[in-house]
Amino acid sequence: MSTKHTIPSDEDLTAFIDGELTAEERARIKAIVKEDESVAERLDFLARASLPFEQAFAPLLSEAPREKLQAMLSAIPAHENARSVAAPAPTRRRFLGALAASLVAGIAIDRAVIGIAKGFSAKDENSEWRAVVADYISLYTAETLAGPVPGRQDQAAQLASLDEKLGLSLSPEAVSLPGVDFKRALLLQYDGKALAQIAYLDPETGPMALCIVKSDAGPKAPDLENRKGMNVVYWSNATHAFMLIGHAAADRMTAIADGVRGRVAV
């Protein structure tokens, strides 16, 4: 006879990962993880994800109403049984509260400060990194990428920083997308690996991004999936995995990916 359980929230799961729960709470979540695959997968996702939110959202953060955010965070009650009297170090649980508050306040918080732990291996690493990126890109709005389009020299300088870390050879022409504005190139990190993100703004559908990580999974022909309400075209060659993600229609995303795939060479 199976027992009905309450699905743990992301706050509960991140507190479990950070060791903030009581022994009784930890035992309860361990039992749920063993019998519920969806909870196990969410726990795995939260344990592995690590992306520097502050860098990506720097334009918004620079204008953040910090006093308002602090007041909102101060109003979040602590967990009665899992907190010590001493002030705790930054953790995932505090990040989740901060992120929820920041979305209301119109800012984003640097996820890097929470020190994401590891220890839960992914069932499909190539799928997992796309899930992490989709979660990340879903926070972007047109305002996140507002501002003038960088000149070619500036674009080339940004791309050069990606080349060094990922062993790429990218030029502004190679990553140019038809009808879509180049906005910035960022060097992020996923699971200890460098992750290149080239962000664009499509005048019609909003944010779009081309993301690249090193991969030894081998060549794979382009495929299409939907994540967080966005279309994702993904493929790989002998040394890298690629994904193009955005809100444009599937056929348009596929056509754009086909064009950039032929130009991005290692």
Side-chain angles (χ1 to χ4, degrees):
M1 180 177 177
S2 62
T3 58
K4 187 176 180 180
H5 59 255
T6 301
I7 300 298
S9 66
D10 279 1
E11 184 181 10
D12 291 334
L13 293 177
T14 52
F16 174 85
I17 295 168
D18 288 327
E20 294 185 317
L21 300 180
T22 63
E24 182 181 354
E25 290 172 321
R26 288 185 62 82
R28 180 181 70 86
I29 289 183
K30 282 182 179 179
I32 295 173
V33 168
K34 285 182 179 179
E35 67 177 72
D36 192 322
E37 185 177 356
S38 66
V39 175
E41 289 178 351
R42 187 60 183 168
L43 181 65
D44 179 66
F45 174 85
L46 292 170
R48 292 174 62 87
S50 180
L51 289 172
F53 278 63
E54 183 175 23
Q55 182 182 16
F57 289 94
L60 289 180
L61 191 60
S62 64
E63 300 176 2
R66 297 177 185 273
E67 294 80 5
K68 182 177 180 181
L69 173 61
Q70 186 57 53
M72 296 172 75
L73 290 179
S74 298
I76 299 175
H79 195 289
E80 291 82 1
N81 297 322
R83 295 288 184 182
S84 62
V85 175
T91 62
R92 286 183 187 80
R93 178 181 287 201
R94 289 174 71 102
F95 164 75
L96 288 172
L99 179 57
S102 72
L103 293 178
V104 175
I107 70 170
I109 303 300
D110 185 352
R111 190 171 186 170
V113 304
I114 62 177
I116 297 293
K118 297 179 183 177
F120 299 88
S121 59
K123 297 175 183 176
D124 178 355
E125 182 177 349
N126 286 332
S127 174
E128 183 71 13
W129 84 275
R130 297 195 305 273
V132 172
V133 169
D135 253 16
Y136 181 53
I137 299 298
S138 68
L139 298 177
Y140 277 26
T141 66
E143 288 74 21
T144 309
L145 300 172
V149 175
R152 188 195 182 284
Q153 185 174 357
D154 192 13
Q155 291 183 31
Q158 293 182 38
L159 293 171
S161 67
L162 308 183
D163 292 346
E164 182 181 351
K165 294 292 185 179
L166 282 95
L168 298 170
S169 181
L170 302 174
S171 68
E173 291 74 23
V175 301
S176 174
L177 306 184
V180 182
D181 293 332
F182 177 108
K183 285 297 184 175
R184 60 175 178 252
L186 298 173
L187 183 64
L188 308 177
Q189 180 175 298
Y190 165 71
D191 198 21
K193 298 178 182 178
L195 188 158
Q197 181 205 104
I198 305 169
Y200 306 84
L201 186 59
D202 179 10
E204 297 180 5
T205 62
M208 189 178 294
L210 173 65
C211 300
I212 311 168
V213 294
K214 283 187 175 180
S215 172
D216 56 6
K220 176 176 174 37
D223 206 347
L224 179 70
E225 64 185 1
N226 187 276
R227 291 183 181 272
K228 308 294 280 190
M230 294 173 286
N231 286 311
V232 180
V233 183
Y234 61 97
W235 68 96
S236 61
N237 58 25
T239 55
H240 293 77
F242 305 80
M243 66 179 284
L244 181 71
I245 180 170
H247 298 272
D251 56 351
R252 181 164 175 244
M253 292 293 291
T254 300
I256 293 174
D258 284 345
V260 73
R261 188 167 65 96
R263 299 190 303 272
V264 176
V266 180

